[in-house]
């Protein structure tokens, strides 16, 4: 193992233990690691967004246009100027100019959301819910599969009913929404179980790092 | 000028994105790709502005000598080292990668793994099977957790060895995830999606203007 790899393991171990030290109580080591994490993460985000966004999509086409290789790169000056308007936020008199880039980003986000959400979340999810009924109609689905398909439709309808506030939840609507709550609880329980296991997997990975890479206790 | 132009920009970009998504014409596709590249260009400026705000906040803390102000210097140190090395030499540089692998990545994983302790502590205090719904949540969470790991399999098999469900915890977990969990999730996704679409239409048409903020 080379020198810098060894230093890296010791640095990572020190930072890992510093963060875990908060489980006892707040202390200077945790505060140090916490603040370092903020600074390093922001710095990493800036570098990535510049190298993966600004340089390939703005800087390189613009330089190519200046060098006469392609004239279309000059159009990139428009988004660059719009992006620079973000810094109007730093001048109290010109703060309102920040609305231009924000309006463009929000308009873009809203416009792209409508067709994408329609296709991926509404049409596809609805299709997935009712598609097994084609197999039931064709007689290719087993009895258990039919039960699962019916359960799926009941679950979706009852869950939607629970969130439907245009009518008062009385009578049949109340019972449908009660069944919807039961499905929601199963959904939340699954999400909770998966989240816990995901975090525990991370914890195991960190403990494994400390015991094998750092202390060499296990191999 | 101060409010009307942003509303028009929002409308134009919103409508353009909807039409270009549905039109297969080459010009339409060129506009679509160009606008996406514009957003990727504008985005980093917002991140830099956020960083300027972060710097201002910590500079104020240092200037006023508020409690724990010394740690603001640590923020600056981390930020400066990453930005200077990353921008000067690129993200493929060995020093930048060393910092990512040995400083950021371990802290990132450790911070998220801390949640395992907090979730366990919160669950111990909050999980009480007092009602039918709470019991459902508790049982589902236990089955999903046990079905995820070999140790869970072992415990389940030890306890349920007398029953026909012995050796079935992984299958039970998968069935829960694929059926009742998926139907609840689909219901939530459909509801959220309808909300996203209606809110997007309100924003594009200028009915929802809160993003413009207050003032003139």
């Amino acid at each position: 193992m080379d020198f810098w790899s060894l230093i890296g393991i010791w640095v990572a171990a020190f930072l890992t233990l510093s963060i875990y030290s908060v489980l006892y109580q707040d202390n200077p080591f945790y505060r140090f690691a916490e603040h370092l994490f903020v600074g390093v993460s922001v710095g990493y985000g800036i570098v990535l967004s510049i190298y993966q966004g600004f340089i390939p999509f703005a800087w390189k086409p613009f330089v190519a246009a200046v060098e006469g290789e392609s004239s279309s790169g000059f159009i990139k000056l428009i988004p660059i100027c719009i992006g620079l308007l973000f810094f109007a936020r730093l001048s109290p008199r010109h703060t309102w100019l920040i609305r231009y880039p924000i309006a463009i980003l929000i308009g873009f986000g809203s416009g792209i959301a409508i067709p994408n959400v329609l296709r991926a979340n509404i049409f596809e999810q609805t299709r997935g819910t009712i598609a097994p009924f084609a197999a039931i109609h064709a007689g290719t689905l087993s009895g258990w599969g039919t039960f699962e398909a019916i359960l799926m439709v009941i679950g979706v309808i009852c869950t939607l009913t629970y969130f439907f506030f245009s009518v008062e939840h009385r009578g049949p609507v109340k019972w449908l929404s009660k069944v919807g709550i039961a499905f929601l609880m199963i959904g939340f329980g699954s999400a909770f179980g998966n989240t816990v296991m995901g975090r525990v997997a991370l914890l195991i990975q960190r403990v494994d790092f400390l015991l094998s890479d750092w202390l060499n206790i296990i191999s | 000028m101060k409010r009307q132009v942003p509303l028009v920009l929002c409308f134009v970009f919103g409508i353009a994105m909807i039409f270009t998504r549905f039109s297969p014409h080459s010009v339409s596709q060129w506009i679509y790709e160009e606008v996406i590249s514009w957003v990727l260009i504008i985005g980093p400026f917002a991140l830099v502005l956020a960083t300027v705000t972060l710097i201002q906040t910590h500079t104020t803390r240092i200037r006023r000598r508020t409690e724990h102000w010394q740690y603001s210097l640590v923020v600056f140190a981390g930020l400066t080292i990453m930005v200077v090395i990353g921008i000067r030499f690129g993200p493929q540089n060995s020093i930048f990668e060393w910092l990512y692998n040995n400083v950021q990545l371990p802290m990132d994983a450790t911070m998220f793994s801390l949640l395992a302790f907090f979730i366990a502590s919160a669950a111990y205090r909050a999980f009480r099977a007092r009602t039918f719904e709470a019991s459902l949540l508790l049982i589902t969470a236990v089955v999903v957790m046990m079905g995820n790991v070999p140790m869970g399999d072992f415990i389940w098999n030890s306890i349920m060895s007398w029953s026909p469900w012995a050796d079935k915890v992984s299958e039970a977990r998968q069935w829960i995830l694929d059926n009742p969990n998926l139907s609840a999730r689909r219901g939530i996704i459909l509801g959220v999606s309808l909300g996203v679409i209606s809110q997007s239409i309100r924003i594009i048409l200028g009915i929802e203007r809160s993003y413009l903020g207050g003032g003139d």
Side-chain angles (χ1 to χ4, degrees), chain A residues 4 20 51 76 99-100 148, chain B residues 34 87 113 175 212 214 216:
Chain A
W4 284 108
Y20 280 141
Y51 271 87
K76 304 295 182 190
R99 288 173 184 159
Y100 286 26
E148 287 179 342
Chain B
E34 192 62 31
I87 291 182
S113 74
W175 188 84
L212 292 176
D216 296 336

Side-chain angles (χ1 to χ4, degrees), chain B residues 94-143:
Chain B
S94 60
I95 302 172
F96 189 80
E97 282 187 344
W98 186 92
L99 286 167
Y100 176 72
N101 288 326
N102 297 301
V103 178
Q104 206 211 333
L105 207 60
M107 284 200 288
D108 198 23
T110 312
M111 279 287 182
F112 279 101
S113 74
L114 269 184
L115 282 176
F117 294 97
F118 296 135
I119 287 177
S121 153
Y124 177 74
R125 278 175 282 163
F127 264 15
R128 296 283 185 273
R130 288 193 189 117
T131 60
F132 172 68
E133 287 84 7
S135 308
L136 263 183
L137 195 145
L138 185 64
I139 292 166
T140 310
V142 169
V143 171

Side-chain angles (χ1 to χ4, degrees), chain B residues 138-148 156 169-170 172-173 176:
Chain B
L138 185 64
I139 292 166
T140 310
V142 169
V143 171
V144 168
M145 282 190 277
M146 291 183 104
N148 251 327
W156 177 277
V169 69
S170 299
R173 169 189 166 270
I176 287 171

Side-chain angles (χ1 to χ4, degrees), chain A residues 4-5 7-9 11-12 15-16 19-20 22-23 28 30-51 53-54 57-58 75-76 78-80 82-84 86-87 89-90 96 98-108 110-119 121-122 125-126 128-129 144 147-148 151-152 155-156 159-160 163 181-197 199-200 202-203 205-206, chain B residues 1-3 5-6 9-10 13-14 17-18 21-22 30 32 34-42 44-49 51-52 54 56 58 61 68 71-72 74-75 78-79 82-83 86-87 89-91 96 98 100 102-104 106-117 119 123 127 132-133 136-137 140-141 144-145 148-149 173 175-191 193-194 196-197 200-201 203-204 211-216:
Chain A
W4 284 108
S5 299
I7 293 288
I9 287 172
V11 168
L15 293 171
T16 302
I19 291 173
Y20 280 141
V22 77
L23 292 170
Y30 174 71
R31 283 196 290 269
F32 170 81
E34 184 190 29
H35 284 77
L36 185 66
F37 181 52
V38 171
V40 167
S41 299
V42 172
Y44 183 74
I46 290 174
V47 171
L48 274 204
S49 67
I50 287 173
Y51 271 87
F54 187 76
F57 291 104
I75 205 171
K76 304 295 182 190
I78 301 171
I80 292 173
I82 293 169
L84 286 171
F86 269 115
F87 297 104
R89 178 81 179 80
L90 303 173
W96 60 274
I98 199 174
R99 288 173 184 159
Y100 286 26
I102 289 176
I104 289 172
L105 289 180
I106 286 186
F108 167 83
S110 304
I112 208 163
I114 292 173
N116 285 350
V117 167
L118 262 179
R119 196 182 62 242
N121 288 359
I122 294 188
Q125 295 299 330
T126 309
T129 306
W144 183 250
F147 166 73
E148 287 179 342
L151 186 74
M152 181 68 72
V156 172
T159 306
L160 282 172
F163 290 111
I181 293 173
F183 275 93
L184 280 170
M185 287 301 134
I186 294 173
F188 293 146
S190 308
F192 177 84
N194 279 328
T195 306
V196 169
M197 294 318 291
R199 304 304 179 201
V200 169
L202 277 175
L203 175 65
Q205 184 247 328
R206 294 319 299 157
Chain B
M1 186 73 176
K2 290 182 178 178
R3 295 185 80 89
V5 175
L9 281 173
C10 184
F13 273 81
M17 290 322 291
I18 295 170
R21 203 79 186 92
F22 286 116
W30 179 82
Y32 178 74
E34 192 62 31
V35 172
I36 284 185
S37 77
W38 280 30
V39 169
L40 288 168
I41 295 166
I42 296 171
F45 286 98
L47 191 61
V48 173
L49 177 68
T51 310
V52 171
L54 179 82
Q56 282 178 337
H58 283 279
R61 280 183 61 182
H68 304 316
Y71 297 104
S72 295
V74 178
V75 175
L79 177 65
M82 288 302 271
V83 168
I87 291 182
F89 303 107
F96 189 80
W98 186 92
Y100 176 72
N102 297 301
V103 178
Q104 206 211 333
M107 284 200 288
D108 198 23
T110 312
M111 279 287 182
F112 279 101
S113 74
L114 269 184
L115 282 176
F117 294 97
I119 287 177
F127 264 15
F132 172 68
E133 287 84 7
L136 263 183
L137 195 145
T140 310
V144 168
M145 282 190 277
N148 251 327
V149 286
R173 169 189 166 270
W175 188 84
I176 287 171
L177 291 180
D178 291 346
N179 291 283
N181 165 64
L182 187 60
S183 61
R185 202 162 279 239
R186 274 188 177 149
I188 293 171
I189 289 172
L190 285 169
S193 304
L194 291 171
V196 167
I197 290 170
S200 298
I201 291 171
I203 288 171
I204 290 170
Y211 66 88
L212 292 176
D216 296 336

